[in-house]
Amino acid sequence: MRRFTIETRGDDYSRRLQEEISDRLCGLDFVCDPDSPELVITIGGDGTFLRAIHRQFSRLNEVAFVGIHTGTLGFFTDYSKDDLEEFYRDVSTKEAQIQKVPLMKITTYNGTKLNDYFAVNEMRVENVKQTQLIDVRIDNEFFETFRGTGMCVSSQAGSTAYNRSAGGAILHEGLDFLQLTEITGIHHQAYRSLGSPLIIKKDGVIRLESHDFEKAILCYDHLYTEMIGVKAIECRACTKSIRFAHYKKIPYLQRLKSLF
Ligand code: NAP
């Protein structure tokens, strides 16, 4: 993979690193090609990596991603800003191991299908204006009626992100399941829902229905859309995947330990 581009968090420090890394790679026979890169290098954090994936969405089969973190280790990033010499050596001398990570597909309906969205981490339905009612169906079977701020459906990769803040479980690397987590659910004598995270098999479908999603927003990774006219949302793992370029193996628990 010799054609590369660099995506940064956009701050002065990561832009300076971008110039330094670009110059160095060009001196190692790499070619900077922002239009059709084979390797996308991100400089920033997991958030920067997420944004780079969405920007390359139409070319996901053709690009692989490798991240340099400007802070701690990260879940998507394999190098830190202090490992640059190792990074240059690895990308110029080693064959990358490609890890495919499936995306989650989110489909909205209003009787008929409205739109598809794709997420790496999660999708959330959130309503901070009023109590949101959501009927939850799993694999087309009615499960519960939820009342509260909203619900989050996350992937394995997203289990350490918003899901973790919402009290969800962290899924170890390789456990490709979907996880449904409540966002401040109401639980008292009149209303009750499961109240704990629910993990379902990867070919399962989680369907969230409501007669009124008008004041809610649908968030997917760092992106969001209004829900005007939406009556149902389905989440499932999909066949599209992201290609991570790994030049070294970092144990999952090492990444996890660097988080807290
Ligand atoms: P952002 O500023 O890009 O990211 C918010 C934080 O989430 C950052 O610290 C980021 O790490 C971290 N993060 C992103 N993906 C992660 C992952 N897979 N595992 C562990 N940490 C992860 O925020 P944004 O633009 O609003 O949304 C991007 C993502 O951030 C969302 O998909 C959501 O999961 C997460 N988020 C979390 C919360 C929360 O926990 N309460 C709130 C909003 C958003 P870096 O510092 O390394 O970039």
Side-chain angles (χ1 to χ4, degrees):
M1 288 185 285
R2 293 273 149 182
R3 296 194 315 274
F4 74 95
T5 191
I6 301 180
E7 298 269 2
T8 76
R9 185 160 50 195
D11 58 302
D12 289 346
Y13 179 72
S14 53
R15 282 215 207 95
R16 276 201 304 278
L17 268 189
Q18 174 179 20
E19 277 178 34
E20 183 186 321
I21 292 170
S22 187
D23 288 350
R24 189 69 182 268
L25 289 180
C26 289
L28 290 167
D29 277 348
F30 283 76
V31 178
C32 182
D33 183 351
D35 293 330
S36 57
E38 297 162 292
L39 185 64
V40 175
I41 301 162
T42 66
I43 305 173
D46 288 334
T48 309
F49 201 98
L50 268 187
R51 284 164 178 75
I53 291 168
H54 281 273
R55 267 199 283 273
Q56 295 288 337
F57 191 76
S58 61
R59 301 188 67 252
L60 287 183
N61 289 334
E62 293 140 67
V63 288
F65 297 83
V66 61
I68 298 170
H69 209 297
T70 48
T72 54
L73 180 58
F75 283 90
F76 299 147
T77 52
D78 284 359
Y79 296 88
S80 91
K81 60 185 187 322
D82 305 318
D83 302 328
L84 289 185
E85 289 305 322
E86 184 190 8
F87 172 73
Y88 299 136
R89 194 176 57 243
D90 285 354
V91 292
S92 59
T93 62
K94 291 184 183 171
E95 190 76 32
Q97 298 297 310
I98 301 295
Q99 178 197 6
K100 288 190 173 182
V101 173
L103 287 170
M104 192 165 73
K105 183 172 164 184
I106 303 127
T107 309
T108 53
Y109 296 89
N110 176 6
T112 56
K113 180 177 156 179
L114 292 173
N115 275 306
D116 285 329
Y117 304 91
F118 295 88
V120 182
N121 275 344
E122 82 284 296
M123 82 95 211
R124 285 128 49 198
V125 177
E126 291 193 66
N127 185 343
V128 294
K129 294 181 183 161
Q130 66 182 50
T131 301
Q132 181 66 51
L133 261 70
I134 300 176
D135 284 342
V136 179
R137 302 179 78 87
I138 311 281
D139 291 340
N140 216 19
E141 183 178 339
F142 176 75
F143 178 63
E144 64 176 5
T145 297
F146 165 87
R147 290 172 179 81
T149 298
M151 302 200 102
C152 170
V153 180
S154 58
S155 63
Q156 183 277 330
S159 68
T160 45
Y162 191 100
N163 167 73
R164 175 172 172 260
S165 300
I170 289 173
L171 300 182
H172 199 280
E173 192 175 42
L175 297 177
D176 284 332
F177 301 118
L178 293 180
Q179 181 166 188
L180 176 69
T181 318
E182 295 187 357
I183 304 171
T184 52
I186 298 173
H187 304 107
H188 52 47
Q189 285 190 344
Y191 304 135
R192 191 159 302 116
S193 51
L194 182 65
S196 68
L198 177 68
I199 296 169
I200 69 159
K201 59 190 187 328
K202 68 175 176 189
D203 56 349
V205 179
I206 298 176
R207 184 176 168 95
L208 307 180
E209 295 177 348
S210 179
H211 67 279
D212 183 8
F213 275 130
E214 303 283 309
K215 294 195 175 77
I217 52 171
L218 171 58
C219 307
Y220 52 110
D221 294 342
H222 59 290
L223 302 167
Y224 65 91
T225 180
E226 304 289 335
M227 295 185 65
I228 310 300
V230 173
K231 298 291 178 208
I233 307 153
E234 282 182 358
C235 305
R236 49 170 61 80
C238 80
T239 47
K240 276 185 197 295
S241 54
I242 314 147
R243 299 167 70 238
F244 285 59
H246 293 299
Y247 296 90
K248 60 177 177 178
K249 175 78 187 148
I250 300 176
Y252 187 73
L253 289 185
Q254 190 180 327
R255 294 184 194 273
L256 195 53
K257 278 195 274 185
S258 73
L259 186 66
F260 59 93

